[in-house]
Amino acid sequence: MVLDLQNKSQTRDLFTQNLSRHKDKLSPTGKSVADFIDQNRHSILGLSALEIGLETGTSDATVIRSIQTLGFTGLRDLKDTLRHWLDEAESAVEKMAKTTTDLGDNTQSAIDFVVSSQMAALEALGSEENRTEASKAVQLICEATGVGIFGIAASGIVATYAARLFTRSGIPSVAFNQTGVMLPESLLQMRRGDVLVMLLHGRAHREALTALAEAKRLEVPVIMILGRSDAPLRSEAAASLVLPRQKADKVALHSQTLFALEALHLAVSAANPNRSIDTLDRLMTMRNEVRPFSR
């Protein structure tokens, strides 16, 4: 299969286009509704017209009229448009095609690609901004009664590893890596007093929005490890580390996320070394008990 990457249409921000085209037609209250939607795009996906009305001091009827004035058939049409904008523009297939085309049949080019990506990630991790955000994240984890690690697809594997790390340091941890209808059952394990770490490359998919909404309901602070500084959900984070990929149209490498998680884990362990050492001591004792006796 050959992908026409050159003619691939870019994801368009249709809401901004409609807002620019029709905003003059809105009443003052309608403009308040439009501004609220524009500034809270990710939250809109989980709100009803009545809830938007309450947030903007208007009615659900005003909300619907304003949305229709902006050129949408209704709230569902608006949400579909916003969801499309929040999603990544390029598919995994297209990214792999672009990466392999650029690398060619050349092992050295592949090594160079990985090495340069990791060096850029390490440099980003060591930036003053990320160091400040990491300190906030460590404080939140140290104060929490438990840690939930959200990540799906390939990030789900990383989430499982991260949960194992924090558990080994004496912090009850769970990976929220289910998709679809299985995720809500997993999220029932989240408790007030926990902290939620979200592994996000940029997509504000339904699973991420659901996890974030449950965290909000429980007043659970959120730490995000992001692949881009303008990630749609970043404003919802109490702390956020940004480790951008060098080229967003290439295959995503997950080792930079591991760098950040392992740094956080070590910092948390160092903040309470007795707990970490006692937990590992218990772990080693139990492992010896289940191993067969040597002859």
Side-chain angles (χ1 to χ4, degrees):
M1 177 179 64
V2 178
L3 294 173
D4 185 1
L5 296 174
Q6 297 299 324
N7 295 324
K8 174 80 170 66
S9 61
Q10 298 294 318
T11 299
R12 294 178 299 163
D13 186 355
L14 294 179
F15 178 78
T16 295
Q17 293 178 21
N18 283 15
L19 181 60
S20 177
R21 187 180 302 122
H22 301 296
K23 191 169 185 178
D24 289 343
K25 303 175 185 176
L26 293 168
S27 65
T29 53
K31 288 180 180 178
S32 296
V33 171
D35 289 340
F36 177 78
I37 294 172
D38 191 27
Q39 296 165 14
N40 300 274
R41 298 187 183 201
H42 55 278
S43 300
I44 293 300
L45 299 182
L47 298 178
S48 67
L50 179 60
E51 290 170 326
I52 296 172
L54 291 173
E55 292 287 346
T56 57
T58 61
S59 65
D60 55 343
T62 298
V63 170
I64 296 300
R65 282 196 302 270
S66 302
I67 291 172
Q68 291 174 338
T69 300
L70 289 173
F72 302 99
T73 59
L75 182 57
R76 177 172 294 183
D77 183 26
L78 170 68
K79 288 184 177 182
D80 287 342
T81 299
L82 293 178
R83 188 174 292 113
H84 177 69
W85 176 77
L86 291 168
D87 283 348
E88 291 180 313
E90 302 289 340
S91 72
V93 174
E94 290 160 346
K95 289 179 180 180
M96 177 59 77
K98 181 70 166 62
T99 303
T100 54
T101 297
D102 287 356
L103 295 180
D105 185 14
N106 189 325
T107 301
Q108 302 310 314
S109 294
I111 293 174
D112 289 341
F113 172 75
V114 172
V115 170
S116 62
S117 295
Q118 304 323 313
M119 290 180 66
L122 288 170
E123 183 178 355
L125 180 60
S127 69
E128 286 302 316
E129 181 179 3
N130 274 332
R131 287 175 182 271
T132 298
E133 292 299 303
S135 296
K136 294 179 186 176
V138 168
Q139 184 66 31
L140 289 169
I141 295 172
C142 288
E143 294 173 351
T145 54
V147 178
I149 316 288
F150 172 87
I152 62 174
S155 293
I157 301 171
V158 179
T160 298
Y161 172 68
R164 179 174 177 267
L165 285 180
F166 287 112
T167 297
R168 286 165 62 95
S169 287
I171 304 174
S173 305
V174 60
F176 299 129
N177 54 10
Q178 303 286 341
T179 57
V181 296
M182 294 301 296
L183 177 64
E185 290 192 33
S186 177
L187 290 175
L188 288 175
Q189 299 174 79
M190 196 187 306
R191 295 287 184 270
R192 196 179 301 272
D194 289 349
V195 65
L196 177 64
V197 180
M198 302 187 74
L199 314 181
L200 301 171
H201 282 295
R203 250 185 107 191
H205 40 66
R206 294 183 182 182
E207 284 85 357
L209 292 169
T210 299
L212 185 58
E214 182 64 3
K216 275 187 172 183
R217 188 185 72 82
L218 294 171
E219 298 180 340
V220 166
V222 176
I223 299 166
M224 294 185 185
I225 300 179
L226 305 165
R228 43 189 270 205
S229 59
D230 63 343
L233 300 181
R234 188 182 183 187
S235 61
E236 301 296 327
S240 60
L241 282 74
V242 180
L243 301 173
R245 288 172 285 168
Q246 286 184 292
K247 294 184 179 180
D249 61 341
K250 299 290 183 64
V251 166
L253 302 179
H254 293 272
S255 46
Q256 50 260 57
T257 305
L258 285 172
F259 296 158
L261 287 167
E262 290 186 325
L264 293 178
H265 165 250
L266 286 174
V268 169
S269 297
N272 194 335
N274 290 335
R275 179 180 61 186
S276 301
I277 293 171
D278 288 346
T279 302
L280 279 175
D281 184 59
R282 286 173 49 214
L283 177 62
M284 294 301 106
T285 298
M286 289 188 289
R287 281 186 173 178
N288 288 332
E289 289 175 351
V290 298
R291 285 174 178 158
F293 292 109
S294 59
R295 296 181 180 179

